[in-house]
Amino acid sequence: MKLTKQKIVELLENSDNQDDLFHRADLIRKKNVGDSVFLRGLIEFSNFCRNSCFYCGIRRENAQIKRYRLTPDEIISLARGAVQLGFKTIVLQSGEDVGYSCDDLCRVIEEIKKMDVALTLSIGEREYEEYAAFKNCGADRYLMRIETTDKKLYHQLHPKMSWQHRYECLMMIKELGYELGSGILVGLPNQSLESIADDLLFLQKIGIDMAGIGPFIAHPNTPLKNCLSGTLDLSLRAMSVIRLLMPDINIPATTAMETLEKKGRIRALKAGANVVMPNVTDSLHRSFYELYPNKACLNDGVAHCYACLNLQIQSIGRKIGTGYGSHVKNSVKK
Ligand code: 5AD
Ligand code: FES
């Protein structure tokens, strides 16, 4: 669907009529991607990071957290556990950790791909050759949020990083044939509704396959500790707008939404989302992967989360998807 920037700003600011927006997004979701909710098993395999993003709890300057790096065998074993529970997609996420070689990661990818699942990487900015190597050994999808398209704001929040370089990485990933997931943070300090509207139009323009839209949550050990967090309502409105703009893409109900409000994820599933990414990292390491505080479901075992989500999903008349849950445009029709 086409929407002007002005129309998007109106939708974002209108909290009185947000239920209409959510309902419209829900109908478009149903028509284009159906009632299945696809689960992705998220493995947070290392919290080492070379970057200093102002909002992020695992930024390199945060000396308060214990750093960990799972071995390839540990990662493979977590993936196997998740696959046994029924997950059809495994997402490997980490900080920008230079502690793994390209070969290490390729081995992990190859082993997990033997388990008959889709594999998603979320490991940040890398060289073209590395993106190509990961793709060649079986990685199917890549997630990397642009975070914001306001370049001034981007450079304020990401010291020593370049917006242009991040954009170029997204283009490389797309060109290599990955399904591309990107997205933004909502409610960053000094972020206007106009800027969020630009972000959403940007995501539409570059043609992403999945959109991750989540509220910014202030973390106490970061430079943004005294800033106000984003709100669930505005994040949901931004998410619903991207569903209007891109009717058939995958849209996760993000964990950050659940963190701001119990049942935040269910509200998201009723406002355009069709994916959930439960954490399948073991609970010890999970607590160290603290991008933001009070992460939802932090102490729940994987089997518990699966069962709990299954109930929640059924309670809104939906069901857990049984296939890989690729972007419908890309998936082979049976
Ligand atoms: N609040 C919300 N989301 C965050 N992320 C990182 N730090 C925070 C935070 N404090 C998000 C970023 C990143 C994703 C993996 O987690 O958008 O891309
Ligand atoms: Fe973990 Fe509900 S999803 S407790």
Side-chain angles (χ1 to χ4, degrees):
M1 178 186 293
K2 274 204 164 139
L3 292 173
T4 61
K5 178 171 169 185
Q6 194 198 341
K7 179 70 196 163
I8 296 174
V9 171
E10 279 168 27
L11 291 170
L12 292 174
E13 74 192 344
N14 193 340
S15 51
D16 292 341
N17 288 343
Q18 67 177 17
D19 287 343
D20 291 345
L21 170 64
F22 296 161
H23 186 60
R24 251 173 96 192
D26 195 42
L27 292 178
I28 293 179
R29 181 274 308 156
K30 190 176 174 71
K31 179 161 173 255
N32 291 276
V33 297
D35 281 337
S36 291
V37 175
F38 291 97
L39 301 188
R40 324 291 201 200
L42 175 67
I43 302 178
E44 296 158 336
F45 65 93
S46 160
N47 68 353
F48 281 89
C49 191
R50 61 179 172 180
N51 291 329
S52 310
C53 307
F54 266 32
Y55 43 80
C56 185
I58 67 168
R59 65 200 304 271
R60 63 187 294 176
E61 287 79 7
N62 183 7
Q64 313 283 339
I65 51 165
K66 192 171 149 41
R67 301 282 168 175
Y68 70 89
R69 179 180 286 134
L70 300 187
T71 64
D73 286 340
E74 286 171 324
I75 305 171
I76 293 162
S77 140
L78 284 175
R80 186 161 291 118
V83 172
Q84 278 162 1
L85 272 174
F87 286 94
K88 286 289 190 189
T89 295
I90 297 296
V91 183
L92 299 181
Q93 188 176 83
S94 69
E96 284 197 8
D97 183 0
V98 286
Y100 296 92
S101 68
C102 188
D103 287 350
D104 290 339
L105 291 173
C106 283
R107 194 186 131 229
V108 172
I109 294 166
E110 277 164 2
E111 287 303 314
I112 297 178
K113 282 303 288 180
K114 287 181 193 159
M115 302 174 199
D116 183 25
V117 282
L119 191 135
T120 305
L121 293 174
S122 177
I123 56 177
E125 296 179 24
R126 297 253 167 181
E127 300 297 323
Y128 182 86
E129 292 69 30
E130 294 176 293
Y131 288 140
F134 302 149
K135 185 80 184 59
N136 280 335
C137 62
D140 304 285
R141 309 180 187 144
Y142 206 101
L143 303 182
M144 187 160 64
R145 290 183 177 171
I146 193 71
E147 316 292 2
T148 172
T149 56
D150 176 336
K151 298 186 185 64
K152 186 161 161 252
L153 181 60
Y154 184 91
H155 291 118
Q156 280 168 2
L157 297 175
H158 303 90
K160 301 203 196 89
M161 291 176 78
S162 142
W163 189 91
Q164 186 61 26
H165 186 254
R166 197 165 186 82
Y167 172 71
E168 281 159 15
C169 284
L170 291 176
M171 292 302 108
M172 290 181 216
I173 292 165
K174 204 172 153 63
E175 184 215 305
L176 283 163
Y178 285 93
E179 276 195 50
L180 174 62
S182 191
I184 58 161
L185 282 166
V186 172
L188 289 166
N190 301 320
Q191 185 187 39
S192 62
L193 295 182
E194 283 74 17
S195 155
I196 298 175
D198 282 333
D199 295 346
L200 299 173
L201 288 167
F202 168 85
L203 296 174
Q204 183 187 40
K205 184 161 157 227
I206 67 170
I208 53 170
D209 301 290
M210 171 164 134
I213 312 275
F216 152 67
I217 302 177
H219 187 294
N221 300 324
T222 64
L224 301 187
K225 62 179 172 216
N226 295 322
C227 295
L228 278 181
S229 296
T231 65
L232 178 61
D233 282 357
L234 179 58
S235 308
L236 289 173
R237 294 199 292 277
M239 188 200 76
S240 294
V241 169
I242 200 77
R243 173 59 77 201
L244 305 191
L245 291 170
M246 308 191 75
D248 66 11
I249 62 168
N250 284 317
I251 302 182
T254 54
T255 310
M257 289 177 170
E258 184 78 8
T259 300
L260 285 187
E261 188 180 305
K262 206 162 182 296
K263 301 276 152 76
R265 262 188 318 216
I266 288 291
R267 282 186 67 195
L269 288 173
K270 291 162 82 175
N274 71 322
V275 167
V276 180
M277 296 172 59
N279 201 311
V280 301
T281 318
D282 58 288
S283 52
L284 173 70
H285 293 109
R286 210 192 284 190
S287 63
F288 300 138
Y289 197 85
E290 197 190 52
L291 305 180
Y292 48 82
N294 306 316
K295 244 162 85 178
C297 306
L298 190 61
N299 299 311
D300 299 316
V302 185
H304 174 88
C305 269
Y306 195 96
C308 167
L309 273 174
N310 193 16
L311 281 178
Q312 291 186 33
I313 288 166
Q314 283 179 14
S315 78
I316 55 166
R318 308 268 281 277
K319 54 182 189 299
I320 293 185
T322 49
Y324 299 117
S326 305
H327 183 183
V328 286
K329 165 192 97 168
N330 295 333
S331 58
V332 186
K333 291 236 161 58
K334 293 232 172 78

mmCIF file with all atom_site columns, all heavy atoms in Angstrom, residues 258 262-263 265 276 278-279 286 296-302 304-310 312, ligand 2:
data_model
loop_
_atom_site.group_PDB
_atom_site.id
_atom_site.type_symbol
_atom_site.label_atom_id
_atom_site.label_alt_id
_atom_site.label_comp_id
_atom_site.label_asym_id
_atom_site.label_entity_id
_atom_site.label_seq_id
_atom_site.pdbx_PDB_ins_code
_atom_site.Cartn_x
_atom_site.Cartn_y
_atom_site.Cartn_z
_atom_site.occupancy
_atom_site.B_iso_or_equiv
_atom_site.pdbx_formal_charge
_atom_site.auth_seq_id
_atom_site.auth_comp_id
_atom_site.auth_asym_id
_atom_site.auth_atom_id
_atom_site.pdbx_PDB_model_num
ATOM   1   N  N   . GLU A 1 258 ? 7.016  -7.013  24.846 1.00 0.00 ? 258 GLU A N   1
ATOM   2   C  CA  . GLU A 1 258 ? 6.541  -7.800  25.993 1.00 0.00 ? 258 GLU A CA  1
ATOM   3   C  C   . GLU A 1 258 ? 7.159  -7.275  27.282 1.00 0.00 ? 258 GLU A C   1
ATOM   4   O  O   . GLU A 1 258 ? 6.553  -7.326  28.351 1.00 0.00 ? 258 GLU A O   1
ATOM   5   C  CB  . GLU A 1 258 ? 6.923  -9.275  25.778 1.00 0.00 ? 258 GLU A CB  1
ATOM   6   C  CG  . GLU A 1 258 ? 6.429  -10.230 26.835 1.00 0.00 ? 258 GLU A CG  1
ATOM   7   C  CD  . GLU A 1 258 ? 4.948  -10.585 26.697 1.00 0.00 ? 258 GLU A CD  1
ATOM   8   O  OE1 . GLU A 1 258 ? 4.323  -10.205 25.703 1.00 0.00 ? 258 GLU A OE1 1
ATOM   9   O  OE2 . GLU A 1 258 ? 4.421  -11.243 27.620 1.00 0.00 ? 258 GLU A OE2 1
ATOM   10  N  N   . LYS A 1 262 ? 3.188  -6.787  30.013 1.00 0.00 ? 262 LYS A N   1
ATOM   11  C  CA  . LYS A 1 262 ? 2.832  -8.201  29.909 1.00 0.00 ? 262 LYS A CA  1
ATOM   12  C  C   . LYS A 1 262 ? 1.687  -8.289  28.908 1.00 0.00 ? 262 LYS A C   1
ATOM   13  O  O   . LYS A 1 262 ? 0.765  -7.494  28.950 1.00 0.00 ? 262 LYS A O   1
ATOM   14  C  CB  . LYS A 1 262 ? 2.385  -8.703  31.298 1.00 0.00 ? 262 LYS A CB  1
ATOM   15  C  CG  . LYS A 1 262 ? 2.594  -10.161 31.475 1.00 0.00 ? 262 LYS A CG  1
ATOM   16  C  CD  . LYS A 1 262 ? 2.572  -10.557 32.948 1.00 0.00 ? 262 LYS A CD  1
ATOM   17  C  CE  . LYS A 1 262 ? 2.826  -12.037 33.089 1.00 0.00 ? 262 LYS A CE  1
ATOM   18  N  NZ  . LYS A 1 262 ? 1.834  -12.896 32.505 1.00 0.00 ? 262 LYS A NZ  1
ATOM   19  N  N   . LYS A 1 263 ? 1.779  -9.232  27.991 1.00 0.00 ? 263 LYS A N   1
ATOM   20  C  CA  . LYS A 1 263 ? 0.818  -9.365  26.884 1.00 0.00 ? 263 LYS A CA  1
ATOM   21  C  C   . LYS A 1 263 ? 1.076  -8.357  25.764 1.00 0.00 ? 263 LYS A C   1
ATOM   22  O  O   . LYS A 1 263 ? 0.263  -8.233  24.838 1.00 0.00 ? 263 LYS A O   1
ATOM   23  C  CB  . LYS A 1 263 ? -0.658 -9.260  27.343 1.00 0.00 ? 263 LYS A CB  1
ATOM   24  C  CG  . LYS A 1 263 ? -1.047 -10.320 28.374 1.00 0.00 ? 263 LYS A CG  1
ATOM   25  C  CD  . LYS A 1 263 ? -1.434 -11.627 27.685 1.00 0.00 ? 263 LYS A CD  1
ATOM   26  C  CE  . LYS A 1 263 ? -1.173 -12.861 28.536 1.00 0.00 ? 263 LYS A CE  1
ATOM   27  N  NZ  . LYS A 1 263 ? -2.131 -13.064 29.595 1.00 0.00 ? 263 LYS A NZ  1
ATOM   28  N  N   . ARG A 1 265 ? 3.244  -8.657  23.507 1.00 0.00 ? 265 ARG A N   1
ATOM   29  C  CA  . ARG A 1 265 ? 3.425  -9.439  22.279 1.00 0.00 ? 265 ARG A CA  1
ATOM   30  C  C   . ARG A 1 265 ? 2.085  -9.864  21.686 1.00 0.00 ? 265 ARG A C   1
ATOM   31  O  O   . ARG A 1 265 ? 1.917  -9.873  20.466 1.00 0.00 ? 265 ARG A O   1
ATOM   32  C  CB  . ARG A 1 265 ? 4.258  -10.687 22.577 1.00 0.00 ? 265 ARG A CB  1
ATOM   33  C  CG  . ARG A 1 265 ? 5.708  -10.512 22.235 1.00 0.00 ? 265 ARG A CG  1
ATOM   34  C  CD  . ARG A 1 265 ? 6.496  -11.784 22.356 1.00 0.00 ? 265 ARG A CD  1
ATOM   35  N  NE  . ARG A 1 265 ? 6.168  -12.550 23.528 1.00 0.00 ? 265 ARG A NE  1
ATOM   36  C  CZ  . ARG A 1 265 ? 7.051  -13.261 24.238 1.00 0.00 ? 265 ARG A CZ  1
ATOM   37  N  NH1 . ARG A 1 265 ? 8.311  -13.287 23.884 1.00 0.00 ? 265 ARG A NH1 1
ATOM   38  N  NH2 . ARG A 1 265 ? 6.670  -13.953 25.286 1.00 0.00 ? 265 ARG A NH2 1
ATOM   39  N  N   . VAL A 1 276 ? 7.031  -14.641 16.344 1.00 0.00 ? 276 VAL A N   1
ATOM   40  C  CA  . VAL A 1 276 ? 7.572  -14.413 17.688 1.00 0.00 ? 276 VAL A CA  1
ATOM   41  C  C   . VAL A 1 276 ? 8.939  -15.079 17.748 1.00 0.00 ? 276 VAL A C   1
ATOM   42  O  O   . VAL A 1 276 ? 9.143  -16.140 17.150 1.00 0.00 ? 276 VAL A O   1
ATOM   43  C  CB  . VAL A 1 276 ? 6.648  -14.989 18.795 1.00 0.00 ? 276 VAL A CB  1
ATOM   44  C  CG1 . VAL A 1 276 ? 7.248  -14.730 20.173 1.00 0.00 ? 276 VAL A CG1 1
ATOM   45  C  CG2 . VAL A 1 276 ? 5.262  -14.362 18.732 1.00 0.00 ? 276 VAL A CG2 1
ATOM   46  N  N   . PRO A 1 278 ? 11.128 -16.472 20.453 1.00 0.00 ? 278 PRO A N   1
ATOM   47  C  CA  . PRO A 1 278 ? 11.470 -16.826 21.830 1.00 0.00 ? 278 PRO A CA  1
ATOM   48  C  C   . PRO A 1 278 ? 12.950 -17.143 21.972 1.00 0.00 ? 278 PRO A C   1
ATOM   49  O  O   . PRO A 1 278 ? 13.589 -17.640 21.037 1.00 0.00 ? 278 PRO A O   1
ATOM   50  C  CB  . PRO A 1 278 ? 10.641 -18.091 22.101 1.00 0.00 ? 278 PRO A CB  1
ATOM   51  C  CG  . PRO A 1 278 ? 9.712  -18.226 20.955 1.00 0.00 ? 278 PRO A CG  1
ATOM   52  C  CD  . PRO A 1 278 ? 10.298 -17.488 19.813 1.00 0.00 ? 278 PRO A CD  1
ATOM   53  N  N   . ASN A 1 279 ? 13.437 -16.843 23.148 1.00 0.00 ? 279 ASN A N   1
ATOM   54  C  CA  . ASN A 1 279 ? 14.840 -17.055 23.426 1.00 0.00 ? 279 ASN A CA  1
ATOM   55  C  C   . ASN A 1 279 ? 15.090 -18.522 23.737 1.00 0.00 ? 279 ASN A C   1
ATOM   56  O  O   . ASN A 1 279 ? 14.416 -19.088 24.591 1.00 0.00 ? 279 ASN A O   1
ATOM   57  C  CB  . ASN A 1 279 ? 15.166 -16.200 24.648 1.00 0.00 ? 279 ASN A CB  1
ATOM   58  C  CG  . ASN A 1 279 ? 16.612 -15.925 24.732 1.00 0.00 ? 279 ASN A CG  1
ATOM   59  O  OD1 . ASN A 1 279 ? 17.402 -16.848 24.624 1.00 0.00 ? 279 ASN A OD1 1
ATOM   60  N  ND2 . ASN A 1 279 ? 16.973 -14.686 24.926 1.00 0.00 ? 279 ASN A ND2 1
ATOM   61  N  N   . ARG A 1 286 ? 21.645 -16.248 29.093 1.00 0.00 ? 286 ARG A N   1
ATOM   62  C  CA  . ARG A 1 286 ? 20.582 -15.324 28.701 1.00 0.00 ? 286 ARG A CA  1
ATOM   63  C  C   . ARG A 1 286 ? 20.581 -14.065 29.568 1.00 0.00 ? 286 ARG A C   1
ATOM   64  O  O   . ARG A 1 286 ? 20.372 -12.966 29.086 1.00 0.00 ? 286 ARG A O   1
ATOM   65  C  CB  . ARG A 1 286 ? 19.248 -16.042 28.877 1.00 0.00 ? 286 ARG A CB  1
ATOM   66  C  CG  . ARG A 1 286 ? 18.215 -15.583 27.916 1.00 0.00 ? 286 ARG A CG  1
ATOM   67  C  CD  . ARG A 1 286 ? 16.892 -16.106 28.330 1.00 0.00 ? 286 ARG A CD  1
ATOM   68  N  NE  . ARG A 1 286 ? 16.714 -17.516 28.021 1.00 0.00 ? 286 ARG A NE  1
ATOM   69  C  CZ  . ARG A 1 286 ? 15.538 -18.120 28.134 1.00 0.00 ? 286 ARG A CZ  1
ATOM   70  N  NH1 . ARG A 1 286 ? 14.485 -17.438 28.535 1.00 0.00 ? 286 ARG A NH1 1
ATOM   71  N  NH2 . ARG A 1 286 ? 15.414 -19.386 27.842 1.00 0.00 ? 286 ARG A NH2 1
ATOM   72  N  N   . ALA A 1 296 ? 11.705 -9.744  29.041 1.00 0.00 ? 296 ALA A N   1
ATOM   73  C  CA  . ALA A 1 296 ? 10.591 -10.667 29.304 1.00 0.00 ? 296 ALA A CA  1
ATOM   74  C  C   . ALA A 1 296 ? 11.068 -12.120 29.254 1.00 0.00 ? 296 ALA A C   1
ATOM   75  O  O   . ALA A 1 296 ? 11.994 -12.456 28.520 1.00 0.00 ? 296 ALA A O   1
ATOM   76  C  CB  . ALA A 1 296 ? 9.501  -10.452 28.258 1.00 0.00 ? 296 ALA A CB  1
ATOM   77  N  N   . CYS A 1 297 ? 10.437 -12.956 30.056 1.00 0.00 ? 297 CYS A N   1
ATOM   78  C  CA  . CYS A 1 297 ? 10.662 -14.413 30.035 1.00 0.00 ? 297 CYS A CA  1
ATOM   79  C  C   . CYS A 1 297 ? 12.105 -14.805 30.359 1.00 0.00 ? 297 CYS A C   1
ATOM   80  O  O   . CYS A 1 297 ? 12.567 -15.880 29.972 1.00 0.00 ? 297 CYS A O   1
ATOM   81  C  CB  . CYS A 1 297 ? 10.298 -15.022 28.682 1.00 0.00 ? 297 CYS A CB  1
ATOM   82  S  SG  . CYS A 1 297 ? 8.640  -14.637 28.160 1.00 0.00 ? 297 CYS A SG  1
ATOM   83  N  N   . LEU A 1 298 ? 12.804 -13.936 31.084 1.00 0.00 ? 298 LEU A N   1
ATOM   84  C  CA  . LEU A 1 298 ? 14.237 -14.158 31.316 1.00 0.00 ? 298 LEU A CA  1
ATOM   85  C  C   . LEU A 1 298 ? 14.514 -15.491 31.997 1.00 0.00 ? 298 LEU A C   1
ATOM   86  O  O   . LEU A 1 298 ? 15.483 -16.170 31.673 1.00 0.00 ? 298 LEU A O   1
ATOM   87  C  CB  . LEU A 1 298 ? 14.791 -13.011 32.161 1.00 0.00 ? 298 LEU A CB  1
ATOM   88  C  CG  . LEU A 1 298 ? 16.301 -12.961 32.285 1.00 0.00 ? 298 LEU A CG  1
ATOM   89  C  CD1 . LEU A 1 298 ? 16.956 -12.776 30.922 1.00 0.00 ? 298 LEU A CD1 1
ATOM   90  C  CD2 . LEU A 1 298 ? 16.712 -11.808 33.187 1.00 0.00 ? 298 LEU A CD2 1
ATOM   91  N  N   . ASN A 1 299 ? 13.666 -15.853 32.936 1.00 0.00 ? 299 ASN A N   1
ATOM   92  C  CA  . ASN A 1 299 ? 13.956 -17.063 33.703 1.00 0.00 ? 299 ASN A CA  1
ATOM   93  C  C   . ASN A 1 299 ? 13.139 -18.271 33.269 1.00 0.00 ? 299 ASN A C   1
ATOM   94  O  O   . ASN A 1 299 ? 13.131 -19.290 33.947 1.00 0.00 ? 299 ASN A O   1
ATOM   95  C  CB  . ASN A 1 299 ? 13.719 -16.796 35.193 1.00 0.00 ? 299 ASN A CB  1
ATOM   96  C  CG  . ASN A 1 299 ? 14.640 -15.689 35.680 1.00 0.00 ? 299 ASN A CG  1
ATOM   97  O  OD1 . ASN A 1 299 ? 15.833 -15.746 35.421 1.00 0.00 ? 299 ASN A OD1 1
ATOM   98  N  ND2 . ASN A 1 299 ? 14.076 -14.682 36.321 1.00 0.00 ? 299 ASN A ND2 1
ATOM   99  N  N   . ASP A 1 300 ? 12.446 -18.147 32.157 1.00 0.00 ? 300 ASP A N   1
ATOM   100 C  CA  . ASP A 1 300 ? 11.607 -19.265 31.744 1.00 0.00 ? 300 ASP A CA  1
ATOM   101 C  C   . ASP A 1 300 ? 12.381 -20.209 30.842 1.00 0.00 ? 300 ASP A C   1
ATOM   102 O  O   . ASP A 1 300 ? 13.061 -19.781 29.912 1.00 0.00 ? 300 ASP A O   1
ATOM   103 C  CB  . ASP A 1 300 ? 10.372 -18.741 31.004 1.00 0.00 ? 300 ASP A CB  1
ATOM   104 C  CG  . ASP A 1 300 ? 9.530  -17.852 31.900 1.00 0.00 ? 300 ASP A CG  1
ATOM   105 O  OD1 . ASP A 1 300 ? 9.331  -18.244 33.064 1.00 0.00 ? 300 ASP A OD1 1
ATOM   106 O  OD2 . ASP A 1 300 ? 9.108  -16.775 31.463 1.00 0.00 ? 300 ASP A OD2 1
ATOM   107 N  N   . GLY A 1 301 ? 12.270 -21.506 31.101 1.00 0.00 ? 301 GLY A N   1
ATOM   108 C  CA  . GLY A 1 301 ? 12.927 -22.495 30.252 1.00 0.00 ? 301 GLY A CA  1
ATOM   109 C  C   . GLY A 1 301 ? 12.292 -22.498 28.865 1.00 0.00 ? 301 GLY A C   1
ATOM   110 O  O   . GLY A 1 301 ? 11.183 -21.989 28.672 1.00 0.00 ? 301 GLY A O   1
ATOM   111 N  N   . VAL A 1 302 ? 13.028 -23.052 27.926 1.00 0.00 ? 302 VAL A N   1
ATOM   112 C  CA  . VAL A 1 302 ? 12.577 -23.026 26.533 1.00 0.00 ? 302 VAL A CA  1
ATOM   113 C  C   . VAL A 1 302 ? 11.260 -23.778 26.358 1.00 0.00 ? 302 VAL A C   1
ATOM   114 O  O   . VAL A 1 302 ? 10.335 -23.302 25.688 1.00 0.00 ? 302 VAL A O   1
ATOM   115 C  CB  . VAL A 1 302 ? 13.651 -23.674 25.628 1.00 0.00 ? 302 VAL A CB  1
ATOM   116 C  CG1 . VAL A 1 302 ? 13.249 -23.547 24.183 1.00 0.00 ? 302 VAL A CG1 1
ATOM   117 C  CG2 . VAL A 1 302 ? 14.995 -23.032 25.868 1.00 0.00 ? 302 VAL A CG2 1
ATOM   118 N  N   . HIS A 1 304 ? 9.004  -24.317 28.580 1.00 0.00 ? 304 HIS A N   1
ATOM   119 C  CA  . HIS A 1 304 ? 7.945  -23.537 29.213 1.00 0.00 ? 304 HIS A CA  1
ATOM   120 C  C   . HIS A 1 304 ? 7.479  -22.427 28.279 1.00 0.00 ? 304 HIS A C   1
ATOM   121 O  O   . HIS A 1 304 ? 6.275  -22.204 28.097 1.00 0.00 ? 304 HIS A O   1
ATOM   122 C  CB  . HIS A 1 304 ? 8.463  -22.955 30.536 1.00 0.00 ? 304 HIS A CB  1
ATOM   123 C  CG  . HIS A 1 304 ? 7.494  -22.008 31.186 1.00 0.00 ? 304 HIS A CG  1
ATOM   124 N  ND1 . HIS A 1 304 ? 6.511  -22.436 32.050 1.00 0.00 ? 304 HIS A ND1 1
ATOM   125 C  CD2 . HIS A 1 304 ? 7.337  -20.669 31.072 1.00 0.00 ? 304 HIS A CD2 1
ATOM   126 C  CE1 . HIS A 1 304 ? 5.802  -21.401 32.441 1.00 0.00 ? 304 HIS A CE1 1
ATOM   127 N  NE2 . HIS A 1 304 ? 6.283  -20.313 31.865 1.00 0.00 ? 304 HIS A NE2 1
ATOM   128 N  N   . CYS A 1 305 ? 8.422  -21.697 27.709 1.00 0.00 ? 305 CYS A N   1
ATOM   129 C  CA  . CYS A 1 305 ? 8.068  -20.590 26.811 1.00 0.00 ? 305 CYS A CA  1
ATOM   130 C  C   . CYS A 1 305 ? 7.274  -21.095 25.612 1.00 0.00 ? 305 CYS A C   1
ATOM   131 O  O   . CYS A 1 305 ? 6.309  -20.465 25.189 1.00 0.00 ? 305 CYS A O   1
ATOM   132 C  CB  . CYS A 1 305 ? 9.325  -19.878 26.302 1.00 0.00 ? 305 CYS A CB  1
ATOM   133 S  SG  . CYS A 1 305 ? 9.804  -18.522 27.365 1.00 0.00 ? 305 CYS A SG  1
ATOM   134 N  N   . TYR A 1 306 ? 7.709  -22.222 25.067 1.00 0.00 ? 306 TYR A N   1
ATOM   135 C  CA  . TYR A 1 306 ? 7.016  -22.771 23.894 1.00 0.00 ? 306 TYR A CA  1
ATOM   136 C  C   . TYR A 1 306 ? 5.570  -23.078 24.244 1.00 0.00 ? 306 TYR A C   1
ATOM   137 O  O   . TYR A 1 306 ? 4.629  -22.690 23.533 1.00 0.00 ? 306 TYR A O   1
ATOM   138 C  CB  . TYR A 1 306 ? 7.738  -24.030 23.412 1.00 0.00 ? 306 TYR A CB  1
ATOM   139 C  CG  . TYR A 1 306 ? 7.334  -24.472 22.025 1.00 0.00 ? 306 TYR A CG  1
ATOM   140 C  CD1 . TYR A 1 306 ? 8.096  -24.098 20.921 1.00 0.00 ? 306 TYR A CD1 1
ATOM   141 C  CD2 . TYR A 1 306 ? 6.198  -25.248 21.818 1.00 0.00 ? 306 TYR A CD2 1
ATOM   142 C  CE1 . TYR A 1 306 ? 7.729  -24.492 19.645 1.00 0.00 ? 306 TYR A CE1 1
ATOM   143 C  CE2 . TYR A 1 306 ? 5.824  -25.648 20.545 1.00 0.00 ? 306 TYR A CE2 1
ATOM   144 C  CZ  . TYR A 1 306 ? 6.600  -25.272 19.468 1.00 0.00 ? 306 TYR A CZ  1
ATOM   145 O  OH  . TYR A 1 306 ? 6.229  -25.657 18.207 1.00 0.00 ? 306 TYR A OH  1
ATOM   146 N  N   . ALA A 1 307 ? 5.381  -23.749 25.385 1.00 0.00 ? 307 ALA A N   1
ATOM   147 C  CA  . ALA A 1 307 ? 4.032  -24.149 25.795 1.00 0.00 ? 307 ALA A CA  1
ATOM   148 C  C   . ALA A 1 307 ? 3.187  -22.924 26.110 1.00 0.00 ? 307 ALA A C   1
ATOM   149 O  O   . ALA A 1 307 ? 2.008  -22.830 25.727 1.00 0.00 ? 307 ALA A O   1
ATOM   150 C  CB  . ALA A 1 307 ? 4.114  -25.064 27.006 1.00 0.00 ? 307 ALA A CB  1
ATOM   151 N  N   . CYS A 1 308 ? 3.783  -21.956 26.803 1.00 0.00 ? 308 CYS A N   1
ATOM   152 C  CA  . CYS A 1 308 ? 3.071  -20.743 27.196 1.00 0.00 ? 308 CYS A CA  1
ATOM   153 C  C   . CYS A 1 308 ? 2.653  -19.947 25.964 1.00 0.00 ? 308 CYS A C   1
ATOM   154 O  O   . CYS A 1 308 ? 1.503  -19.501 25.850 1.00 0.00 ? 308 CYS A O   1
ATOM   155 C  CB  . CYS A 1 308 ? 3.999  -19.931 28.106 1.00 0.00 ? 308 CYS A CB  1
ATOM   156 S  SG  . CYS A 1 308 ? 3.480  -18.254 28.401 1.00 0.00 ? 308 CYS A SG  1
ATOM   157 N  N   . LEU A 1 309 ? 3.574  -19.824 25.017 1.00 0.00 ? 309 LEU A N   1
ATOM   158 C  CA  . LEU A 1 309 ? 3.240  -19.088 23.793 1.00 0.00 ? 309 LEU A CA  1
ATOM   159 C  C   . LEU A 1 309 ? 2.163  -19.806 23.000 1.00 0.00 ? 309 LEU A C   1
ATOM   160 O  O   . LEU A 1 309 ? 1.253  -19.182 22.445 1.00 0.00 ? 309 LEU A O   1
ATOM   161 C  CB  . LEU A 1 309 ? 4.491  -18.944 22.916 1.00 0.00 ? 309 LEU A CB  1
ATOM   162 C  CG  . LEU A 1 309 ? 5.350  -17.737 23.233 1.00 0.00 ? 309 LEU A CG  1
ATOM   163 C  CD1 . LEU A 1 309 ? 6.632  -17.785 22.415 1.00 0.00 ? 309 LEU A CD1 1
ATOM   164 C  CD2 . LEU A 1 309 ? 4.593  -16.448 22.917 1.00 0.00 ? 309 LEU A CD2 1
ATOM   165 N  N   . ASN A 1 310 ? 2.278  -21.123 22.955 1.00 0.00 ? 310 ASN A N   1
ATOM   166 C  CA  . ASN A 1 310 ? 1.287  -21.913 22.230 1.00 0.00 ? 310 ASN A CA  1
ATOM   167 C  C   . ASN A 1 310 ? -0.122 -21.617 22.762 1.00 0.00 ? 310 ASN A C   1
ATOM   168 O  O   . ASN A 1 310 ? -1.050 -21.357 21.987 1.00 0.00 ? 310 ASN A O   1
ATOM   169 C  CB  . ASN A 1 310 ? 1.639  -23.397 22.388 1.00 0.00 ? 310 ASN A CB  1
ATOM   170 C  CG  . ASN A 1 310 ? 0.865  -24.268 21.414 1.00 0.00 ? 310 ASN A CG  1
ATOM   171 O  OD1 . ASN A 1 310 ? 0.297  -23.765 20.431 1.00 0.00 ? 310 ASN A OD1 1
ATOM   172 N  ND2 . ASN A 1 310 ? 0.806  -25.551 21.689 1.00 0.00 ? 310 ASN A ND2 1
ATOM   173 N  N   . GLN A 1 312 ? -1.066 -18.936 24.478 1.00 0.00 ? 312 GLN A N   1
ATOM   174 C  CA  . GLN A 1 312 ? -1.433 -17.545 24.199 1.00 0.00 ? 312 GLN A CA  1
ATOM   175 C  C   . GLN A 1 312 ? -1.891 -17.382 22.750 1.00 0.00 ? 312 GLN A C   1
ATOM   176 O  O   . GLN A 1 312 ? -2.844 -16.661 22.460 1.00 0.00 ? 312 GLN A O   1
ATOM   177 C  CB  . GLN A 1 312 ? -0.235 -16.617 24.457 1.00 0.00 ? 312 GLN A CB  1
ATOM   178 C  CG  . GLN A 1 312 ? 0.143  -16.484 25.914 1.00 0.00 ? 312 GLN A CG  1
ATOM   179 C  CD  . GLN A 1 312 ? 1.237  -15.426 26.103 1.00 0.00 ? 312 GLN A CD  1
ATOM   180 O  OE1 . GLN A 1 312 ? 1.304  -14.446 25.390 1.00 0.00 ? 312 GLN A OE1 1
ATOM   181 N  NE2 . GLN A 1 312 ? 2.103  -15.643 27.077 1.00 0.00 ? 312 GLN A NE2 1
HETATM 182 FE FE1 . FES B 2 .   ? 7.931  -17.248 28.213 1.00 0.00 ? 2   FES B FE1 1
HETATM 183 FE FE2 . FES B 2 .   ? 5.298  -16.861 28.213 1.00 0.00 ? 2   FES B FE2 1
HETATM 184 S  S1  . FES B 2 .   ? 6.629  -16.915 26.559 1.00 0.00 ? 2   FES B S1  1
HETATM 185 S  S2  . FES B 2 .   ? 6.586  -17.304 29.868 1.00 0.00 ? 2   FES B S2  1
#
